[in-house]
Amino acid sequence: MHFICDFTQKAVAEVCSTMFTLKATPVASGEGLENARAEFSGIVGSVSFAGKISGAVYIGLSDALACTLAERLLGSRPATANSPEVADLIGEIANMVSGDMKRRTAEIGYNGLLAPPVVMHGPSIVVEPREAHIAAYNQFRIPELNEEFGVQVFAKLQA
Amino acid sequence: MDQCVLAAATDVWATMLGWNLTAPAVAEAKGPPTSFPLLAINGCVGFAGNLTGSVFLSCETHLGERMARIILGDSGGLTAREVSDVVGELTNMLAGGCVSRLRDQGFTLAMSIPNVIRGVSIQATSRDVTFLIRRRFFLAGGTESVQVTVAGKTD
């Protein structure tokens, strides 16, 4: 397994546990650039990073899961996944996951600086990489909520 | 930043496509961050340093295909992947032009790699940013346009 895939799994598990006291278990993963693209529907939090490692992390959740996580954290369920508090939450999740990954990659010599999170919402969001040398996809399951979500990382290491 | 976007976009489209872009004197959005629409094809490049943020280049499919035909010199059928490659490369050059101009002003910046986002009715927001600039650049003499959005913050 590529270290990016491994670090993604560790970062997501850590963030879900810390933020929501939920267990997120990887149920499927894939690596490789051939036909690499990520397809999401709902809400996507992303963070770009630049430096010895460059790329971006995309975390895609359904509207229902995003609202459920917001309810768990805020105590009341947002009316829609379009609401600012949901965007804030998904941005924060993306920020924490990428921050955890940044710490881990820096420990092995690949430091990167993080850009502010971008949150996108739409019925169909397809992300295609350019210039990436690494593509890693992980699908996670949250058994307690009976929900799944996906995390895609496109990255390039500087020699 | 707005001047960097104006200069970089004008340069890139003139160099790569031989197109003269025109932009309204006033940006569509300039100031505090708001949510912004993405179009059918969107290139995105992040940058980080003592100024961090993201540059989005957005266009509709037919304009993306038109630009790809000119750059790739292909009059036949284009694949979606080829169009994405062209939009990604233009975004990379646009972001590079902005970053280069910002470095000249004393900012220390590193650029991420480009990704291309496709979709329908995508609404985007950038968190933790302090400024957002959105500009529409028109092809001279026409109504077709590309949209450039930059959201970011200074340390």
Side-chain angles (χ1 to χ4, degrees):
Chain A
M1 180 186 291
H2 195 282
F3 70 80
I4 291 288
C5 204
D6 180 38
F7 289 176
T8 304
Q9 293 182 1
K10 287 174 175 159
V12 169
E14 184 73 32
V15 169
C16 283
S17 171
T18 304
M19 283 184 85
F20 306 106
T21 58
L22 286 171
K23 187 173 181 184
T25 312
V27 290
S29 65
E31 298 174 11
L33 282 166
E34 194 165 340
N35 299 319
R37 57 190 250 147
E39 296 187 37
F40 301 107
S41 176
I43 191 160
V44 177
S46 72
V47 170
S48 295
F49 41 90
K52 286 275 185 190
I53 181 168
S54 294
V57 179
Y58 295 88
I59 303 175
L61 302 89
S62 68
D63 284 359
L65 176 56
C67 288
T68 300
L69 292 178
E71 182 179 12
R72 197 173 175 96
L73 202 67
L74 305 172
S76 64
R77 191 173 183 85
T80 71
N82 268 329
S83 58
E85 59 264 38
V86 176
D88 280 353
L89 173 67
I90 302 308
E92 186 56 26
I93 293 171
N95 212 20
M96 289 182 70
V97 168
S98 55
D100 188 290
M101 292 179 68
K102 168 191 152 60
R103 177 181 59 78
R104 294 176 194 275
T105 58
E107 284 171 359
I108 58 168
Y110 294 106
N111 201 2
L113 299 168
L114 301 180
V118 174
V119 179
M120 297 171 280
H121 187 260
S124 169
I125 300 171
V126 178
V127 186
E128 301 168 344
R130 281 201 77 256
E131 300 182 19
H133 295 168
I134 303 155
Y137 181 78
N138 280 285
Q139 183 80 13
F140 293 89
R141 178 172 176 74
I142 304 177
E144 193 175 327
L145 303 179
N146 198 25
E147 290 272 8
E148 293 192 2
F149 63 98
V151 180
Q152 177 79 55
V153 182
F154 296 122
K156 179 180 180 179
L157 303 177
Q158 202 176 83
Chain B
M1 174 59 89
D2 193 28
Q3 290 307 310
C4 292
V5 171
L6 279 168
T10 308
D11 273 3
V12 169
W13 266 261
T15 304
M16 296 298 290
L17 293 147
W19 287 2
N20 180 24
L21 291 186
T22 59
V26 180
E28 284 190 336
K30 187 177 176 183
T34 56
S35 69
F36 54 97
L38 297 184
L39 302 179
I41 311 175
N42 311 271
C44 174
V45 174
F47 53 91
N50 53 10
L51 180 67
T52 63
S54 303
V55 176
F56 286 87
L57 164 65
S58 306
C59 65
E60 296 298 351
T61 305
H62 58 90
L63 184 56
E65 289 172 350
R66 194 174 153 196
M67 294 189 295
R69 279 199 187 89
I70 292 172
I71 288 176
L72 299 176
D74 179 26
S75 58
L78 285 165
T79 65
R81 182 75 200 191
E82 287 172 325
V83 178
S84 292
D85 281 349
V86 166
V87 172
E89 182 55 27
L90 288 170
T91 311
N92 205 28
M93 293 182 71
L94 173 68
C98 291
V99 163
S100 169
R101 287 168 172 83
L102 290 165
R103 283 181 183 143
D104 290 344
Q105 295 175 28
F107 288 99
T108 306
L109 298 168
M111 263 173 62
S112 182
I113 55 176
N115 289 316
V116 174
I117 299 156
R118 288 175 173 267
V120 181
S121 306
I122 303 175
Q123 196 69 21
T125 53
S126 192
R127 283 189 70 251
D128 302 336
V129 297
T130 54
F131 70 84
L132 182 137
I133 295 165
R134 190 171 81 245
R135 275 201 169 272
R136 197 170 280 275
F137 292 90
F138 291 88
L139 278 57
T143 55
E144 287 190 297
S145 64
V146 294
Q147 172 184 287
V148 177
T149 309
V150 183
K153 65 173 180 179
T154 51
D155 271 355

